[in-house]
Amino acid sequence: MRALTESEARARAGLLDVQSYEVFLDLTTDPVTSRSQIRFGCREPGASSFADLSLQTVHSAVLNGQALDPPKDGRLHLPGLAADNVLTVEGEAGYSLTGQGLHRFTDPADGAVYVLGQCYPTDAPDVFCCFDQPDLRASIAVRVAAPAGWECVGNGPVTQRPAPGEAGQWRFAPVPGMVPFEFIVCAGPYVTDARATAGAGVSLTARRRRSLTGTDGVSALGRFAGTARQALAWYERVLGVPCPYPEYNIVFVPGLIALAESMPGVMCASERLLARMTDLDDEWVAVVCVHEVSHLWFGSYVGMRWWDDVWLDEALATYTALATYTELATYTEHVADVDALAASDPWTAFCYRSKEEASWLDGLPRSEPVSSSVANAEEALAKPPFIVYAKGASVIRQLGALIGDDALRAGLADYMARYAWHSAALDDIMACWSRASGRDLAPWADEWLRTAGVSRLWPELTTAPDGTIESVTVHQDSARTHCIGIGLYDLDGNRLRRRTLVTTEVSGPRTPVPSLSGAAVPDALVLNDGDLTYAQVGLDDRTLSCLASVAMDVGDPLTEAVCWNAAWQMVKRGEFPAAGFAGLVARRLGSPGLPLAGVEALLARAVECADRWASQDARAGLREEVAAAALAGAGGSRPGSPLQRAYAAGFAASAHSQDQLDLLRSWLGGAGLPDGLLLEADLRSNILFTLSARGLASDEDLDAMVAADPVSGERHRATCRAMRPDPAAKEAAWTAALNGGLDWQMAGASAAGVWVPGQEDIMAGYRDRYFAEALPTLASRNSETSQRLVRVLYPATLVSAATLEATEEALRDMQLINRLRGTVLEQQETLRLVLAARSSTGQPAVQFDH
């Protein structure tokens, strides 16, 4: 199918006025019968245009009573348009294996079938004929024929349903202002677990598949719906716009490709969320929920005009979700550990989980702006999600620090009022923020949103003859305007205490901070204290040594995350020894004040240090050290808490010595577990990943995992089998990963276990096979799944000049599509840095205690 370009979209939007769609899908047939009728106007009668259509089979296409020629390359030619037109198309839509378009899931537990029709980002033409571009909005009404016993959910409220227990048609009320890729239908024998009224009278429900009754997380669906209800009310109040849709249906969809997605009237959530929904103190699921609710405004009510501004939907949703969660009392009446809640600030979690990854990718040669001109949707979706989501949200928070949160929110309310049910672009929202703040923000938008790369900030402190601070200067390698906090810290015994925090505006290559002159010289000076800006922060030797002496515990979880991120960036630049970083993590684990997100992130980084950034000779010792610290953390945490589960998962992921592996075997049998720790599905799978990689997990172990985990068990079994140190297992997994006829989730699960640190000898021959087999195969498929497989199958564990040379040759010789080429470039640069870090002979600037 030929990709729609921006110039074609502009021309079509200038010519056509799309008024309404009527879509019918018959889910009782295979392939699915699809029939659509589009009413639209033409501003230049007699002109020609085209509709987007890529059904499996087209039986008929009629424009104003005249039969049309079949579509070519995904386009249906529309000649001689009238002022008012009716286009009717009937055909058959097939089910996909990629999770996009129409997707069918058969429940292995009871044989029940569930169908998802979801069209984002470019799959609407596979389901029905349409004008598939973000600035051609219209009313969409849907009818669905479904088997007996099924429930159907669509974008609009149900206006007609079959009699109970009978097959028949479901009708949904028309929904105004929709874009074709917002179309969603969820159908199957779903069970409704929660009903509520939200906001200004919005009907809210939560559904899941029938066989999950009694499994982990299902009991928390009511609380998840409660979070959505509170978020709806918050957005209505802050944005000044009632929820645009009378119903909001939350459906936990089996086989969903995304973690969650929200379109007009519907949130589809992955069943993978269920495993963490039982944790009352864990903010992650709640933030995901609040993010999706925000899309009812950012993306649906007002959406991007073209794909270069996809950040408008995603970055605004990410920012407002984090800001919203800090103000909602969703969990405060339920939490079991108030201290854990206080340390679970979502901005701290965001700093650990997303912001560091965004700034790291933004520092690579492949870096792209948050907003930049793209020819088509494929180019837009080739951008790293961390740039679109995390960097976008980070710079919006930075803008809030610069102009004030009140002005930021006033600008968002203005944006909602001006562009209701329409599309907008970067300049539109910047004009709203400029009016609200009284400050011309066009230069700010150019610096932060239209320019690629991440700023690097570092301090320079000079001492006066009397021993006080003579001057502090903030240097940066780019000309951006920041509002940052600068913290001065002093050692108090074995603790670090913040003495002073100043907030200042930084711009240009060097900015003096006169307010700090005359103060006593601190033991540590931390830039971006409080994490207001988006930047890579440099730590001077004195500060780094001081931070290392207290294992980064600065007394404030968010600023501690900034310090850990700075040190982690130094590891990846070869400026900080990986073994030293892992040792700092081991010292910090189990100590008070480290939030759940910090435990998870630091454990993952410490294991990555051992497996990737440190020399192979150091791997075993580092893993054992980290595992011992994680085990101690699990034993010292509140029994049954999310922190205890995070430490246990870290131990399972890092265990290496025979004693540690033996303990994992005991855990698997239900013995030797720390007090209060349960062998839940996630912990079981983490244990089996490690045991499988050492050849210590039997088929019976994997069968038990599948029986205990109806959501992810089959996928985890495929990964475990692939992780075994057995050439036959590797060959089977490689074949499954590249099997185009296999469900995308199972292909990805097999791929995830192919490359295991420590199995380099077994995998040596697969480096050439990646470039000779995998890349050409995946390049021919051109799908989101292909991009994932290109990344996961890359021979990252074969850290050598030969792998780097093979990558460079492939990039020279192969004509990779843009999305896949960017992924390979990212892997190439990371491998180059790993090689440099492993070969670094420089001595660390600080001493580390192990």
Side-chain angles (χ1 to χ4, degrees):
M1 178 176 172
R2 200 165 109 207
L4 180 72
T5 66
E6 182 180 14
S7 59
E8 291 173 326
R10 285 184 181 273
R12 190 162 66 174
L15 181 66
L16 304 183
D17 174 24
V18 186
Q19 294 142 9
S20 67
Y21 292 87
E22 294 182 11
V23 179
F24 170 72
L25 297 178
D26 188 348
L27 302 183
T28 66
T29 63
D30 186 9
V32 172
T33 298
S34 168
R35 186 162 57 248
S36 55
Q37 184 177 88
I38 314 173
R39 297 182 182 274
F40 63 101
C42 177
R43 299 182 181 91
E44 299 176 16
S48 298
S49 188
F50 63 92
D52 304 301
L53 179 60
S54 50
L55 292 175
Q56 178 177 293
T57 304
V58 177
H59 295 311
S60 66
V62 178
L63 174 66
N64 300 329
Q66 300 296 315
L68 298 175
D69 292 335
K72 294 181 180 179
D73 203 14
R75 296 186 174 185
L76 180 66
H77 182 56
L78 308 176
L81 294 171
D84 296 298
N85 303 272
V86 178
L87 172 63
T88 304
V89 174
E90 185 168 344
E92 295 173 346
Y95 290 105
S96 78
L97 295 172
T98 63
Q100 297 165 302
L102 284 176
H103 178 71
R104 180 171 51 191
F105 174 87
T106 301
D107 192 334
D110 60 7
V113 174
Y114 297 83
V115 172
L116 171 65
Q118 69 91 22
C119 298
Y120 187 87
T122 58
D123 299 290
D126 295 341
V127 181
F128 63 99
C129 182
C130 58
F131 299 104
D132 193 25
Q133 62 188 70
D135 59 345
L136 279 180
R137 292 170 166 256
S139 167
I140 299 183
V142 179
R143 287 185 300 127
V144 175
W150 281 25
E151 286 285 314
C152 288
V153 171
N155 299 101
V158 174
T159 59
Q160 175 188 320
R161 65 175 65 220
E166 295 184 8
Q169 290 198 13
W170 295 71
R171 289 181 180 268
F172 300 90
V175 179
M178 278 184 60
V179 178
F181 60 61
E182 295 177 324
F183 175 95
I184 277 187
V185 166
C186 304
Y190 281 104
V191 174
T192 300
D193 276 309
R195 296 185 187 273
T197 300
V202 178
S203 173
L204 189 149
T205 63
R207 293 175 169 87
R208 45 84 183 177
R209 61 176 156 127
R210 186 173 58 196
S211 67
L212 295 184
T213 300
T215 59
D216 291 346
V218 168
S219 61
L221 285 177
R223 187 157 45 83
F224 186 88
T227 302
R229 177 179 56 80
Q230 289 186 280
L232 278 164
W234 190 90
Y235 287 123
E236 288 187 341
R237 183 175 68 254
V238 172
L239 300 176
V241 177
C243 179
Y245 308 100
E247 289 189 1
Y248 193 42
N249 294 291
I250 302 169
V251 186
F252 282 79
V253 178
L256 187 70
I257 193 170
L259 188 64
E261 60 183 15
S262 192
M263 299 298 172
V266 181
M267 180 202 301
C268 291
S270 169
E271 293 178 342
R272 290 172 286 165
L273 286 171
L274 293 171
R276 289 186 69 156
M277 284 174 55
T278 55
D279 293 340
L280 299 179
D281 303 339
D282 183 358
E283 91 296 328
W284 182 71
V285 172
V287 171
V288 170
C289 177
V290 176
H291 173 106
E292 296 306 328
V293 173
S294 73
H295 276 311
L296 297 177
W297 286 267
F298 301 110
S300 296
Y301 188 60
V302 181
M304 60 183 172
R305 190 166 296 148
W306 182 244
W307 290 98
D308 49 2
D309 280 323
V310 68
W311 76 276
L312 272 176
D313 299 353
E314 298 301 349
L316 284 171
T318 301
Y319 169 80
T320 54
L322 293 165
T324 300
Y325 183 82
T326 62
E327 299 186 25
L328 290 179
T330 306
Y331 290 98
T332 54
E333 62 191 85
H334 302 290
V335 292
D337 188 340
V338 175
D339 292 336
L341 178 69
S344 69
D345 165 52
W347 289 112
T348 301
F350 176 72
C351 187
Y352 275 118
R353 290 175 178 150
S354 302
K355 198 168 186 178
E356 189 281 329
E357 183 70 16
S359 66
W360 173 249
L361 292 174
D362 210 16
L364 299 180
R366 189 211 163 189
S367 174
E368 298 182 45
V370 174
S371 177
S372 59
S373 178
V374 295
N376 51 50
E378 179 189 305
E379 285 191 12
L381 297 170
K383 288 187 178 182
F386 280 104
I387 298 298
V388 175
Y389 290 70
K391 180 181 178 179
S394 298
V395 301
I396 292 171
R397 186 172 195 234
Q398 205 285 323
L399 178 62
L402 199 64
I403 67 175
D405 287 339
D406 289 344
L408 190 76
R409 290 183 180 182
L412 291 177
D414 183 23
Y415 178 68
M416 289 288 108
R418 288 176 182 270
Y419 299 101
W421 302 113
H422 288 87
S423 302
L426 184 154
D427 288 341
D428 298 323
I429 195 165
M430 295 315 304
C432 293
W433 277 324
S434 294
R435 283 188 294 270
S437 64
R439 179 171 179 166
D440 179 12
L441 294 173
W444 181 92
D446 289 339
E447 290 176 6
W448 287 99
L449 296 171
R450 291 194 173 102
T451 302
V454 59
S455 301
R456 181 165 169 76
L457 305 177
W458 67 96
E460 178 188 6
L461 185 153
T462 60
T463 305
D466 64 359
T468 62
I469 295 175
E470 180 176 32
S471 66
V472 171
T473 302
V474 178
H475 296 266
Q476 76 166 308
D477 59 1
S478 60
R480 288 192 173 107
T481 301
H482 308 251
C483 181
I484 66 168
I486 303 176
L488 304 186
Y489 289 80
D490 299 320
L491 278 171
D492 180 8
N494 60 356
R495 296 181 62 82
L496 197 61
R497 300 187 185 278
R498 183 165 58 199
R499 180 215 312 165
T500 303
L501 174 63
V502 299
T503 302
T504 187
E505 192 170 310
V506 172
S507 61
R510 58 190 310 274
T511 302
V513 189
S515 62
L516 294 177
S517 297
V521 174
D523 293 308
L525 186 155
V526 177
L527 296 184
N528 198 26
D529 195 306
D531 198 31
L532 295 178
T533 197
Y534 171 80
Q536 292 182 357
V537 174
L539 302 172
D540 61 70
D541 288 351
R542 178 186 177 93
T543 295
L544 184 57
S545 179
C546 179
L547 291 172
S549 72
V550 296
M552 297 290 181
D553 185 359
V554 298
D556 175 72
L558 181 52
T559 300
E560 180 177 351
V562 171
C563 295
W564 278 114
N565 285 354
W568 182 228
Q569 298 270 347
M570 293 175 69
V571 170
K572 295 192 283 188
R573 291 194 299 266
E575 301 167 357
F576 192 106
F581 185 92
L584 281 181
V585 171
R587 286 172 50 206
R588 183 69 178 95
L589 292 176
S591 301
L594 192 60
L596 176 64
V599 171
E600 292 174 334
L602 295 182
L603 277 166
R605 293 174 191 178
V607 172
E608 188 177 337
C609 278
D611 287 347
R612 192 171 200 185
W613 297 95
S615 67
Q616 287 182 301
D617 293 342
R619 179 183 294 153
L622 290 177
R623 286 181 66 97
E624 290 174 23
E625 180 182 15
V626 173
L631 181 61
S637 299
R638 180 174 57 81
S641 67
L643 280 175
Q644 185 186 50
R645 286 191 282 273
Y647 279 121
F651 173 68
S654 55
H656 193 84
S657 70
Q658 190 59 53
D659 287 347
Q660 291 168 345
L661 295 173
D662 289 344
L663 181 56
L664 283 187
R665 285 274 0 157
S666 296
W667 283 15
L668 197 61
L673 291 159
D675 183 36
L677 183 66
L678 301 178
L679 185 64
E680 295 175 326
D682 278 358
L683 179 58
R684 183 189 293 270
S685 61
N686 283 323
I687 291 171
L688 286 171
F689 290 152
T690 295
L691 294 179
S692 295
R694 301 292 289 272
L696 301 174
S698 67
D699 286 342
E700 290 75 15
D701 293 329
L702 303 188
D703 291 342
M705 175 180 64
V706 174
D709 185 1
V711 173
S712 304
E714 287 289 355
R715 295 194 302 275
H716 289 334
R717 174 160 56 188
T719 301
C720 286
R721 286 173 172 169
M723 296 181 80
R724 287 170 168 167
D726 172 30
K730 297 299 181 184
E731 182 64 31
W734 185 267
T735 301
L738 296 179
N739 182 356
L742 192 66
D743 179 271
W744 71 272
Q745 292 189 93
M746 295 305 296
S750 294
V754 167
W755 297 102
V756 177
Q759 297 179 355
E760 289 81 5
D761 291 344
I762 298 175
M763 297 302 299
Y766 284 85
R767 173 173 48 217
D768 292 341
R769 293 182 65 178
Y770 175 81
F771 297 106
E773 297 175 17
L775 274 186
T777 298
L778 296 172
S780 68
R781 294 179 189 167
N782 186 18
S783 71
E784 206 170 325
T785 304
S786 298
Q787 186 180 14
R788 289 188 178 91
L789 291 174
V790 163
R791 176 178 288 106
V792 174
L793 288 175
Y794 182 82
T797 63
L798 302 182
V799 180
S800 67
T803 304
L804 193 59
E805 291 167 4
T807 308
E808 292 172 345
E809 182 179 350
L811 288 168
R812 283 195 304 269
D813 296 344
M814 288 193 63
Q815 295 298 312
L816 291 174
I817 63 173
N818 184 52
R819 189 184 302 187
L820 302 189
R821 184 176 185 82
T823 300
V824 176
L825 282 168
E826 176 188 313
Q827 297 297 313
Q828 175 195 43
E829 183 59 22
T830 302
L831 178 62
R832 195 191 315 275
L833 291 165
V834 171
L835 276 168
R838 286 190 178 185
S839 62
S840 176
T841 57
Q843 295 299 311
V846 296
Q847 298 300 312
F848 301 96
D849 297 323
H850 285 76

